[in-house]
Amino acid sequence: MSALRPDISVAVLNQRGQEYLPGYLGIEILSLAPGQLNSRMPIRQLHIAPNEFLHAASVVALADTSCGYATIAHLPPGAQSFTTIELKSNHLGTVTEGAVACVANAQHLGRSTQVWDAVVSDEASGRTLALFRCTQMILWPK
């Protein structure tokens, strides 16, 4: 398992996203540990689709942000950054109020790629709403 970067913390990750999509959506990073990141997103009207269900893109944004921030925290020494090369989501349910939670877990932490799985759930009940997987390509200085 790759070690956490000492310069990355929950506070750094939350600050990093404030002026970008994660901040706009209200995504909050709650905890970071080797191989895992926990987050949440309080549901607001902007997260809801015109059909009055939680918009799939909101769920994907939470899961992708969680896995992406976890990747940043687990970059190998000397790596510059990363980019997502594949993602997949299965949506199993919806909520329209409260908050959604996400737990991202590392499945592979390699020198050239990382694979992360995330489960998005209703924060109040724990009911699974979506399963998500992404592959990240590690970027190295030229």
mmCIF file of all heavy atoms in Angstrom, residues 1-5 32-37 66-77 79 81-82 104-117 133-138 140:
data_model
loop_
_atom_site.group_PDB
_atom_site.id
_atom_site.type_symbol
_atom_site.label_atom_id
_atom_site.label_comp_id
_atom_site.label_asym_id
_atom_site.label_seq_id
_atom_site.Cartn_x
_atom_site.Cartn_y
_atom_site.Cartn_z
ATOM 1 N N MET A 1 0.849 -1.179 0.000
ATOM 2 C CA MET A 1 0.000 0.000 0.000
ATOM 3 C C MET A 1 0.884 1.229 0.000
ATOM 4 O O MET A 1 1.835 1.321 0.758
ATOM 5 C CB MET A 1 -0.910 -0.042 1.224
ATOM 6 C CG MET A 1 -1.814 1.124 1.400
ATOM 7 S SD MET A 1 -3.437 1.101 0.609
ATOM 8 C CE MET A 1 -4.003 -0.543 0.761
ATOM 9 N N SER A 2 0.546 2.165 -0.845
ATOM 10 C CA SER A 2 1.270 3.426 -0.941
ATOM 11 C C SER A 2 1.038 4.251 0.314
ATOM 12 O O SER A 2 -0.057 4.275 0.872
ATOM 13 C CB SER A 2 0.788 4.193 -2.170
ATOM 14 O OG SER A 2 1.403 5.439 -2.242
ATOM 15 N N ALA A 3 2.063 4.938 0.760
ATOM 16 C CA ALA A 3 1.947 5.793 1.941
ATOM 17 C C ALA A 3 1.269 7.105 1.574
ATOM 18 O O ALA A 3 1.350 7.574 0.440
ATOM 19 C CB ALA A 3 3.331 6.063 2.513
ATOM 20 N N LEU A 4 0.611 7.701 2.552
ATOM 21 C CA LEU A 4 -0.006 9.002 2.344
ATOM 22 C C LEU A 4 1.077 10.070 2.213
ATOM 23 O O LEU A 4 2.086 10.027 2.920
ATOM 24 C CB LEU A 4 -0.903 9.358 3.525
ATOM 25 C CG LEU A 4 -2.206 8.592 3.642
ATOM 26 C CD1 LEU A 4 -2.861 8.885 4.978
ATOM 27 C CD2 LEU A 4 -3.133 8.943 2.509
ATOM 28 N N ARG A 5 0.857 11.027 1.349
ATOM 29 C CA ARG A 5 1.775 12.150 1.227
ATOM 30 C C ARG A 5 1.646 13.025 2.468
ATOM 31 O O ARG A 5 0.533 13.368 2.880
ATOM 32 C CB ARG A 5 1.441 12.973 -0.016
ATOM 33 C CG ARG A 5 1.817 12.272 -1.302
ATOM 34 C CD ARG A 5 1.462 13.074 -2.510
ATOM 35 N NE ARG A 5 1.773 14.505 -2.361
ATOM 36 C CZ ARG A 5 1.418 15.425 -3.245
ATOM 37 N NH1 ARG A 5 0.752 15.098 -4.322
ATOM 38 N NH2 ARG A 5 1.715 16.691 -3.043
ATOM 39 N N LEU A 32 -9.229 10.913 5.941
ATOM 40 C CA LEU A 32 -8.253 10.367 5.014
ATOM 41 C C LEU A 32 -7.367 9.412 5.788
ATOM 42 O O LEU A 32 -6.861 9.768 6.861
ATOM 43 C CB LEU A 32 -7.430 11.519 4.420
ATOM 44 C CG LEU A 32 -6.285 11.183 3.487
ATOM 45 C CD1 LEU A 32 -6.801 10.490 2.228
ATOM 46 C CD2 LEU A 32 -5.533 12.462 3.125
ATOM 47 N N ALA A 33 -7.199 8.216 5.271
ATOM 48 C CA ALA A 33 -6.350 7.198 5.896
ATOM 49 C C ALA A 33 -5.674 6.415 4.780
ATOM 50 O O ALA A 33 -6.091 6.513 3.611
ATOM 51 C CB ALA A 33 -7.201 6.262 6.761
ATOM 52 N N PRO A 34 -4.644 5.651 5.079
ATOM 53 C CA PRO A 34 -4.021 4.845 4.026
ATOM 54 C C PRO A 34 -5.059 3.972 3.312
ATOM 55 O O PRO A 34 -5.778 3.203 3.939
ATOM 56 C CB PRO A 34 -3.001 4.004 4.783
ATOM 57 C CG PRO A 34 -2.645 4.844 5.975
ATOM 58 C CD PRO A 34 -3.944 5.513 6.366
ATOM 59 N N GLY A 35 -5.182 4.191 1.996
ATOM 60 C CA GLY A 35 -6.090 3.394 1.177
ATOM 61 C C GLY A 35 -7.545 3.779 1.244
ATOM 62 O O GLY A 35 -8.384 3.107 0.639
ATOM 63 N N GLN A 36 -7.890 4.886 1.938
ATOM 64 C CA GLN A 36 -9.307 5.220 2.072
ATOM 65 C C GLN A 36 -9.518 6.720 2.262
ATOM 66 O O GLN A 36 -8.710 7.407 2.878
ATOM 67 C CB GLN A 36 -9.929 4.494 3.257
ATOM 68 C CG GLN A 36 -11.436 4.669 3.351
ATOM 69 C CD GLN A 36 -12.028 3.819 4.445
ATOM 70 O OE1 GLN A 36 -12.048 4.234 5.591
ATOM 71 N NE2 GLN A 36 -12.490 2.636 4.069
ATOM 72 N N LEU A 37 -10.649 7.199 1.724
ATOM 73 C CA LEU A 37 -11.087 8.581 1.932
ATOM 74 C C LEU A 37 -12.597 8.567 2.124
ATOM 75 O O LEU A 37 -13.309 7.833 1.432
ATOM 76 C CB LEU A 37 -10.723 9.445 0.719
ATOM 77 C CG LEU A 37 -11.082 10.922 0.822
ATOM 78 C CD1 LEU A 37 -9.976 11.785 0.215
ATOM 79 C CD2 LEU A 37 -12.408 11.227 0.163
ATOM 80 N N SER A 66 -13.975 12.172 -4.664
ATOM 81 C CA SER A 66 -13.433 11.389 -3.545
ATOM 82 C C SER A 66 -12.265 10.523 -4.000
ATOM 83 O O SER A 66 -11.209 10.498 -3.357
ATOM 84 C CB SER A 66 -14.538 10.531 -2.925
ATOM 85 O OG SER A 66 -15.574 11.351 -2.441
ATOM 86 N N CYS A 67 -12.436 9.831 -5.113
ATOM 87 C CA CYS A 67 -11.359 8.984 -5.628
ATOM 88 C C CYS A 67 -10.181 9.829 -6.123
ATOM 89 O O CYS A 67 -9.018 9.461 -5.922
ATOM 90 C CB CYS A 67 -11.883 8.093 -6.753
ATOM 91 S SG CYS A 67 -13.052 6.838 -6.195
ATOM 92 N N GLY A 68 -10.470 10.957 -6.745
ATOM 93 C CA GLY A 68 -9.406 11.830 -7.230
ATOM 94 C C GLY A 68 -8.587 12.421 -6.096
ATOM 95 O O GLY A 68 -7.354 12.439 -6.149
ATOM 96 N N TYR A 69 -9.253 12.899 -5.059
ATOM 97 C CA TYR A 69 -8.522 13.443 -3.911
ATOM 98 C C TYR A 69 -7.726 12.346 -3.210
ATOM 99 O O TYR A 69 -6.617 12.585 -2.737
ATOM 100 C CB TYR A 69 -9.482 14.100 -2.941
ATOM 101 C CG TYR A 69 -9.968 15.472 -3.348
ATOM 102 C CD1 TYR A 69 -9.724 16.015 -4.605
ATOM 103 C CD2 TYR A 69 -10.699 16.245 -2.462
ATOM 104 C CE1 TYR A 69 -10.175 17.269 -4.957
ATOM 105 C CE2 TYR A 69 -11.160 17.504 -2.804
ATOM 106 C CZ TYR A 69 -10.892 18.011 -4.054
ATOM 107 O OH TYR A 69 -11.339 19.265 -4.389
ATOM 108 N N ALA A 70 -8.295 11.148 -3.146
ATOM 109 C CA ALA A 70 -7.557 10.024 -2.555
ATOM 110 C C ALA A 70 -6.314 9.711 -3.381
ATOM 111 O O ALA A 70 -5.250 9.413 -2.838
ATOM 112 C CB ALA A 70 -8.468 8.804 -2.445
ATOM 113 N N THR A 71 -6.443 9.809 -4.701
ATOM 114 C CA THR A 71 -5.284 9.590 -5.568
ATOM 115 C C THR A 71 -4.200 10.615 -5.278
ATOM 116 O O THR A 71 -3.026 10.266 -5.140
ATOM 117 C CB THR A 71 -5.691 9.648 -7.054
ATOM 118 O OG1 THR A 71 -6.652 8.622 -7.304
ATOM 119 C CG2 THR A 71 -4.493 9.453 -7.971
ATOM 120 N N ILE A 72 -4.580 11.884 -5.170
ATOM 121 C CA ILE A 72 -3.612 12.938 -4.852
ATOM 122 C C ILE A 72 -2.866 12.607 -3.558
ATOM 123 O O ILE A 72 -1.647 12.748 -3.475
ATOM 124 C CB ILE A 72 -4.318 14.305 -4.732
ATOM 125 C CG1 ILE A 72 -4.818 14.764 -6.098
ATOM 126 C CG2 ILE A 72 -3.400 15.349 -4.100
ATOM 127 C CD1 ILE A 72 -5.797 15.920 -6.036
ATOM 128 N N ALA A 73 -3.604 12.165 -2.566
ATOM 129 C CA ALA A 73 -3.003 11.852 -1.265
ATOM 130 C C ALA A 73 -2.098 10.627 -1.305
ATOM 131 O O ALA A 73 -1.273 10.437 -0.411
ATOM 132 C CB ALA A 73 -4.098 11.648 -0.222
ATOM 133 N N HIS A 74 -2.251 9.797 -2.334
ATOM 134 C CA HIS A 74 -1.473 8.559 -2.447
ATOM 135 C C HIS A 74 -0.508 8.555 -3.637
ATOM 136 O O HIS A 74 -0.036 7.488 -4.039
ATOM 137 C CB HIS A 74 -2.417 7.358 -2.563
ATOM 138 C CG HIS A 74 -3.156 7.055 -1.302
ATOM 139 N ND1 HIS A 74 -4.300 7.726 -0.925
ATOM 140 C CD2 HIS A 74 -2.910 6.161 -0.320
ATOM 141 C CE1 HIS A 74 -4.732 7.249 0.228
ATOM 142 N NE2 HIS A 74 -3.907 6.302 0.622
ATOM 143 N N LEU A 75 -0.230 9.728 -4.213
ATOM 144 C CA LEU A 75 0.713 9.758 -5.334
ATOM 145 C C LEU A 75 2.082 9.252 -4.893
ATOM 146 O O LEU A 75 2.547 9.595 -3.807
ATOM 147 C CB LEU A 75 0.861 11.187 -5.875
ATOM 148 C CG LEU A 75 -0.279 11.720 -6.725
ATOM 149 C CD1 LEU A 75 -0.037 13.197 -7.059
ATOM 150 C CD2 LEU A 75 -0.469 10.901 -7.990
ATOM 151 N N PRO A 76 2.745 8.455 -5.738
ATOM 152 C CA PRO A 76 4.083 7.988 -5.389
ATOM 153 C C PRO A 76 5.065 9.162 -5.337
ATOM 154 O O PRO A 76 4.861 10.177 -6.016
ATOM 155 C CB PRO A 76 4.457 7.026 -6.521
ATOM 156 C CG PRO A 76 3.266 6.883 -7.386
ATOM 157 C CD PRO A 76 2.271 7.916 -7.012
ATOM 158 N N PRO A 77 6.128 9.046 -4.564
ATOM 159 C CA PRO A 77 7.131 10.113 -4.502
ATOM 160 C C PRO A 77 7.639 10.468 -5.900
ATOM 161 O O PRO A 77 7.944 9.590 -6.702
ATOM 162 C CB PRO A 77 8.251 9.508 -3.651
ATOM 163 C CG PRO A 77 7.571 8.457 -2.835
ATOM 164 C CD PRO A 77 6.475 7.909 -3.703
ATOM 165 N N ALA A 79 5.908 11.809 -8.318
ATOM 166 C CA ALA A 79 4.825 11.950 -9.294
ATOM 167 C C ALA A 79 4.320 13.382 -9.272
ATOM 168 O O ALA A 79 4.313 14.041 -8.229
ATOM 169 C CB ALA A 79 3.694 10.984 -8.986
ATOM 170 N N SER A 81 1.161 14.501 -10.874
ATOM 171 C CA SER A 81 -0.284 14.607 -10.768
ATOM 172 C C SER A 81 -0.906 13.308 -11.266
ATOM 173 O O SER A 81 -0.239 12.261 -11.274
ATOM 174 C CB SER A 81 -0.792 15.800 -11.583
ATOM 175 O OG SER A 81 -2.149 16.060 -11.304
ATOM 176 N N PHE A 82 -2.168 13.369 -11.709
ATOM 177 C CA PHE A 82 -2.857 12.201 -12.255
ATOM 178 C C PHE A 82 -3.939 12.685 -13.197
ATOM 179 O O PHE A 82 -4.308 13.859 -13.209
ATOM 180 C CB PHE A 82 -3.482 11.355 -11.135
ATOM 181 C CG PHE A 82 -4.758 11.939 -10.619
ATOM 182 C CD1 PHE A 82 -5.992 11.490 -11.086
ATOM 183 C CD2 PHE A 82 -4.756 12.969 -9.691
ATOM 184 C CE1 PHE A 82 -7.183 12.051 -10.629
ATOM 185 C CE2 PHE A 82 -5.929 13.533 -9.237
ATOM 186 C CZ PHE A 82 -7.142 13.074 -9.703
ATOM 187 N N ALA A 104 -14.307 5.938 -0.478
ATOM 188 C CA ALA A 104 -13.436 5.517 -1.574
ATOM 189 C C ALA A 104 -12.338 4.621 -1.006
ATOM 190 O O ALA A 104 -11.695 4.983 -0.008
ATOM 191 C CB ALA A 104 -12.811 6.736 -2.252
ATOM 192 N N ASN A 105 -12.141 3.469 -1.637
ATOM 193 C CA ASN A 105 -11.129 2.507 -1.196
ATOM 194 C C ASN A 105 -10.199 2.143 -2.344
ATOM 195 O O ASN A 105 -10.653 1.846 -3.452
ATOM 196 C CB ASN A 105 -11.798 1.223 -0.685
ATOM 197 C CG ASN A 105 -12.412 1.417 0.670
ATOM 198 O OD1 ASN A 105 -11.726 1.675 1.638
ATOM 199 N ND2 ASN A 105 -13.731 1.326 0.732
ATOM 200 N N ALA A 106 -8.919 2.136 -2.051
ATOM 201 C CA ALA A 106 -7.918 1.773 -3.055
ATOM 202 C C ALA A 106 -7.995 0.281 -3.346
ATOM 203 O O ALA A 106 -8.066 -0.541 -2.434
ATOM 204 C CB ALA A 106 -6.523 2.121 -2.556
ATOM 205 N N GLN A 107 -7.964 -0.050 -4.635
ATOM 206 C CA GLN A 107 -7.890 -1.441 -5.067
ATOM 207 C C GLN A 107 -6.521 -1.764 -5.646
ATOM 208 O O GLN A 107 -6.087 -2.915 -5.626
ATOM 209 C CB GLN A 107 -8.977 -1.724 -6.112
ATOM 210 C CG GLN A 107 -10.378 -1.445 -5.618
ATOM 211 C CD GLN A 107 -10.713 -2.215 -4.356
ATOM 212 O OE1 GLN A 107 -10.501 -3.427 -4.287
ATOM 213 N NE2 GLN A 107 -11.214 -1.536 -3.346
ATOM 214 N N HIS A 108 -5.850 -0.736 -6.163
ATOM 215 C CA HIS A 108 -4.513 -0.903 -6.746
ATOM 216 C C HIS A 108 -3.799 0.441 -6.663
ATOM 217 O O HIS A 108 -4.343 1.451 -7.116
ATOM 218 C CB HIS A 108 -4.624 -1.352 -8.207
ATOM 219 C CG HIS A 108 -3.346 -1.255 -8.973
ATOM 220 N ND1 HIS A 108 -2.292 -2.109 -8.780
ATOM 221 C CD2 HIS A 108 -2.950 -0.371 -9.922
ATOM 222 C CE1 HIS A 108 -1.303 -1.776 -9.598
ATOM 223 N NE2 HIS A 108 -1.683 -0.713 -10.294
ATOM 224 N N LEU A 109 -2.629 0.462 -6.059
ATOM 225 C CA LEU A 109 -1.830 1.684 -5.958
ATOM 226 C C LEU A 109 -0.471 1.411 -6.593
ATOM 227 O O LEU A 109 0.487 1.059 -5.916
ATOM 228 C CB LEU A 109 -1.671 2.108 -4.494
ATOM 229 C CG LEU A 109 -2.952 2.507 -3.769
ATOM 230 C CD1 LEU A 109 -2.685 2.755 -2.299
ATOM 231 C CD2 LEU A 109 -3.589 3.724 -4.420
ATOM 232 N N GLY A 110 -0.399 1.558 -7.904
ATOM 233 C CA GLY A 110 0.831 1.273 -8.630
ATOM 234 C C GLY A 110 1.596 2.521 -9.002
ATOM 235 O O GLY A 110 1.195 3.644 -8.708
ATOM 236 N N ARG A 111 2.719 2.316 -9.675
ATOM 237 C CA ARG A 111 3.570 3.417 -10.109
ATOM 238 C C ARG A 111 2.975 4.157 -11.314
ATOM 239 O O ARG A 111 3.156 5.355 -11.466
ATOM 240 C CB ARG A 111 4.961 2.881 -10.452
ATOM 241 C CG ARG A 111 5.932 3.937 -10.892
ATOM 242 C CD ARG A 111 7.368 3.428 -10.958
ATOM 243 N NE ARG A 111 8.206 4.305 -11.740
ATOM 244 C CZ ARG A 111 8.614 5.508 -11.360
ATOM 245 N NH1 ARG A 111 8.239 5.973 -10.194
ATOM 246 N NH2 ARG A 111 9.384 6.249 -12.138
ATOM 247 N N SER A 112 2.232 3.454 -12.155
ATOM 248 C CA SER A 112 1.674 4.100 -13.345
ATOM 249 C C SER A 112 0.151 4.247 -13.301
ATOM 250 O O SER A 112 -0.400 5.091 -14.003
ATOM 251 C CB SER A 112 2.089 3.347 -14.610
ATOM 252 O OG SER A 112 1.656 2.008 -14.545
ATOM 253 N N THR A 113 -0.524 3.448 -12.491
ATOM 254 C CA THR A 113 -1.982 3.557 -12.361
ATOM 255 C C THR A 113 -2.416 3.312 -10.926
ATOM 256 O O THR A 113 -1.711 2.667 -10.137
ATOM 257 C CB THR A 113 -2.731 2.545 -13.262
ATOM 258 O OG1 THR A 113 -2.361 1.227 -12.880
ATOM 259 C CG2 THR A 113 -2.477 2.792 -14.734
ATOM 260 N N GLN A 114 -3.591 3.839 -10.625
ATOM 261 C CA GLN A 114 -4.290 3.519 -9.383
ATOM 262 C C GLN A 114 -5.730 3.181 -9.755
ATOM 263 O O GLN A 114 -6.285 3.765 -10.696
ATOM 264 C CB GLN A 114 -4.285 4.700 -8.406
ATOM 265 C CG GLN A 114 -2.924 5.027 -7.846
ATOM 266 C CD GLN A 114 -2.976 6.099 -6.764
ATOM 267 O OE1 GLN A 114 -4.043 6.468 -6.269
ATOM 268 N NE2 GLN A 114 -1.811 6.586 -6.385
ATOM 269 N N VAL A 115 -6.320 2.240 -9.028
ATOM 270 C CA VAL A 115 -7.732 1.890 -9.220
ATOM 271 C C VAL A 115 -8.428 2.083 -7.878
ATOM 272 O O VAL A 115 -7.962 1.579 -6.849
ATOM 273 C CB VAL A 115 -7.895 0.439 -9.726
ATOM 274 C CG1 VAL A 115 -9.377 0.081 -9.846
ATOM 275 C CG2 VAL A 115 -7.173 0.243 -11.055
ATOM 276 N N TRP A 116 -9.531 2.820 -7.926
ATOM 277 C CA TRP A 116 -10.307 3.129 -6.727
ATOM 278 C C TRP A 116 -11.754 2.711 -6.911
ATOM 279 O O TRP A 116 -12.323 2.889 -7.978
ATOM 280 C CB TRP A 116 -10.258 4.637 -6.448
ATOM 281 C CG TRP A 116 -8.919 5.087 -5.969
ATOM 282 C CD1 TRP A 116 -7.831 5.423 -6.738
ATOM 283 C CD2 TRP A 116 -8.512 5.228 -4.619
ATOM 284 N NE1 TRP A 116 -6.778 5.764 -5.931
ATOM 285 C CE2 TRP A 116 -7.166 5.653 -4.619
ATOM 286 C CE3 TRP A 116 -9.144 5.030 -3.395
ATOM 287 C CZ2 TRP A 116 -6.451 5.900 -3.454
ATOM 288 C CZ3 TRP A 116 -8.433 5.275 -2.232
ATOM 289 C CH2 TRP A 116 -7.107 5.702 -2.266
ATOM 290 N N ASP A 117 -12.336 2.143 -5.869
ATOM 291 C CA ASP A 117 -13.768 1.861 -5.807
ATOM 292 C C ASP A 117 -14.390 2.817 -4.802
ATOM 293 O O ASP A 117 -13.769 3.137 -3.777
ATOM 294 C CB ASP A 117 -14.039 0.431 -5.339
ATOM 295 C CG ASP A 117 -13.792 -0.605 -6.408
ATOM 296 O OD1 ASP A 117 -13.697 -0.235 -7.596
ATOM 297 O OD2 ASP A 117 -13.689 -1.788 -6.058
ATOM 298 N N ARG A 133 -16.299 2.964 -9.904
ATOM 299 C CA ARG A 133 -14.898 2.528 -10.039
ATOM 300 C C ARG A 133 -14.210 3.438 -11.037
ATOM 301 O O ARG A 133 -14.789 3.795 -12.062
ATOM 302 C CB ARG A 133 -14.784 1.086 -10.501
ATOM 303 C CG ARG A 133 -13.320 0.697 -10.796
ATOM 304 C CD ARG A 133 -13.149 -0.760 -11.016
ATOM 305 N NE ARG A 133 -12.931 -1.368 -9.703
ATOM 306 C CZ ARG A 133 -12.421 -2.581 -9.528
ATOM 307 N NH1 ARG A 133 -12.110 -3.332 -10.558
ATOM 308 N NH2 ARG A 133 -12.243 -3.049 -8.324
ATOM 309 N N CYS A 134 -12.984 3.821 -10.721
ATOM 310 C CA CYS A 134 -12.202 4.614 -11.675
ATOM 311 C C CYS A 134 -10.758 4.138 -11.693
ATOM 312 O O CYS A 134 -10.246 3.592 -10.713
ATOM 313 C CB CYS A 134 -12.271 6.098 -11.370
ATOM 314 S SG CYS A 134 -11.535 6.554 -9.802
ATOM 315 N N THR A 135 -10.135 4.368 -12.840
ATOM 316 C CA THR A 135 -8.710 4.099 -13.030
ATOM 317 C C THR A 135 -8.033 5.427 -13.273
ATOM 318 O O THR A 135 -8.469 6.206 -14.126
ATOM 319 C CB THR A 135 -8.481 3.151 -14.227
ATOM 320 O OG1 THR A 135 -9.224 1.949 -14.000
ATOM 321 C CG2 THR A 135 -7.003 2.826 -14.389
ATOM 322 N N GLN A 136 -6.967 5.669 -12.515
ATOM 323 C CA GLN A 136 -6.216 6.919 -12.607
ATOM 324 C C GLN A 136 -4.832 6.623 -13.182
ATOM 325 O O GLN A 136 -4.181 5.670 -12.756
ATOM 326 C CB GLN A 136 -6.036 7.556 -11.225
ATOM 327 C CG GLN A 136 -7.277 7.549 -10.348
ATOM 328 C CD GLN A 136 -8.334 8.545 -10.753
ATOM 329 O OE1 GLN A 136 -8.520 8.826 -11.919
ATOM 330 N NE2 GLN A 136 -9.062 9.052 -9.779
ATOM 331 N N MET A 137 -4.406 7.442 -14.142
ATOM 332 C CA MET A 137 -3.044 7.335 -14.678
ATOM 333 C C MET A 137 -2.175 8.352 -13.935
ATOM 334 O O MET A 137 -2.504 9.533 -13.860
ATOM 335 C CB MET A 137 -3.024 7.646 -16.182
ATOM 336 C CG MET A 137 -1.643 7.534 -16.787
ATOM 337 S SD MET A 137 -1.636 7.695 -18.598
ATOM 338 C CE MET A 137 -2.133 9.407 -18.767
ATOM 339 N N ILE A 138 -1.066 7.864 -13.391
ATOM 340 C CA ILE A 138 -0.137 8.721 -12.668
ATOM 341 C C ILE A 138 0.706 9.479 -13.683
ATOM 342 O O ILE A 138 1.231 8.906 -14.636
ATOM 343 C CB ILE A 138 0.762 7.886 -11.730
ATOM 344 C CG1 ILE A 138 -0.085 7.005 -10.794
ATOM 345 C CG2 ILE A 138 1.713 8.789 -10.942
ATOM 346 C CD1 ILE A 138 -1.082 7.735 -9.947
ATOM 347 N N TRP A 140 3.980 11.854 -14.499
ATOM 348 C CA TRP A 140 5.346 12.094 -14.031
ATOM 349 C C TRP A 140 5.934 13.306 -14.748
ATOM 350 O O TRP A 140 5.580 13.569 -15.897
ATOM 351 C CB TRP A 140 6.215 10.860 -14.278
ATOM 352 C CG TRP A 140 5.748 9.686 -13.470
ATOM 353 C CD1 TRP A 140 4.811 8.747 -13.841
ATOM 354 C CD2 TRP A 140 6.120 9.365 -12.149
ATOM 355 N NE1 TRP A 140 4.605 7.867 -12.823
ATOM 356 C CE2 TRP A 140 5.395 8.216 -11.769
ATOM 357 C CE3 TRP A 140 7.004 9.936 -11.232
ATOM 358 C CZ2 TRP A 140 5.534 7.618 -10.512
ATOM 359 C CZ3 TRP A 140 7.150 9.339 -9.988
ATOM 360 C CH2 TRP A 140 6.417 8.199 -9.629
#
